[in-house]
Amino acid sequence: DAGVTQSPTHLIKTRGQQVTLRCSPKSGHDTVSWYQQALGQGPQFIFQYYEEEERQRGNFPDRFSGHQFPNYSSELNVNALLLGDSALYLCASSFLPDTQYFGPGTRLTVL
Amino acid sequence: SQQGEEDPQALSIQEGENATMNCSYKTSINNLQWYRQNSGRGLVHLILIRSNEREKHSGRLRVTLDTSKKSSSLLITASRAADTASYFCATAMYSSASKIIFGSGTRLSIRP
């Protein structure tokens, strides 16, 4: 049984560009959450998707958007990248609003 | 903003000793969870304690929760080199139990 998978592992972009990160949840999970983790900090909640709709959102600008597909996989899109968007982006899946299972993350570097 | 704050920010102990990390939070919670992260990789769930529980054990881990003080502690007994990692507490609030908020973490180093 595969756990949560994310792609790509690493990504380098320049300011102003757009990026799409992908996440496949653990088998049997229907909820996907996205987090941003800056170096030396705890993960910050971006948003959560359930039944293909955004259910919860953290304090992130509209440049951050997402999508959930019928197979429960999800994408995180970030437009007009800023240097401050450089971080580890983590995806987590769950079935109930309890334990979340995290993927290995995508390391985004904005130059 | 962070809901939970861990204390200490960094901890270095000898292998075999016990490690205790504390977490304080601000609002009423549905549950509190502890996670481990190795070298900036994905987080591994360690233990979940609900607001109506006071203590929970899992192997060498013991977690306590004091809702009156809005605080929790994680005790790792008989530490090993493999326990070297960052440890985060995360809270799920009553108002939105599906959204969990992480603290800033404790970096634990185990000296051989």
Side-chain angles (χ1 to χ4, degrees), chain B residues 64-85:
Chain B
T64 61
L65 179 64
D66 187 335
T67 53
S68 67
K69 295 181 179 178
K70 292 186 170 57
S71 67
S72 173
S73 68
L74 169 67
L75 168 68
I76 303 174
T77 60
S79 63
R80 305 167 182 170
D83 295 328
T84 294

Side-chain angles (χ1 to χ4, degrees), chain A residues 16-27:
Chain A
Q17 285 189 313
Q18 179 264 344
V19 68
T20 297
L21 310 182
R22 296 176 176 82
C23 171
S24 291
K26 186 176 170 65
S27 177

Side-chain angles (χ1 to χ4, degrees), chain A residues 78-93:
Chain A
V78 187
N79 295 322
L81 284 168
L82 304 174
L83 294 179
D85 294 332
S86 294
L88 180 68
Y89 287 85
L90 295 162
C91 166
S93 73

Side-chain angles (χ1 to χ4, degrees), chain A residues 35 37 44 48 56 88 98, chain B residues 2 37 40 50 96 98 100:
Chain A
Y35 295 82
Q37 187 178 23
Q44 296 285 318
Q48 183 180 84
Q56 296 275 354
L88 180 68
D98 271 354
Chain B
Q2 305 282 158
Q37 185 177 40
R50 302 190 187 280
S96 55
S98 59
I100 61 173

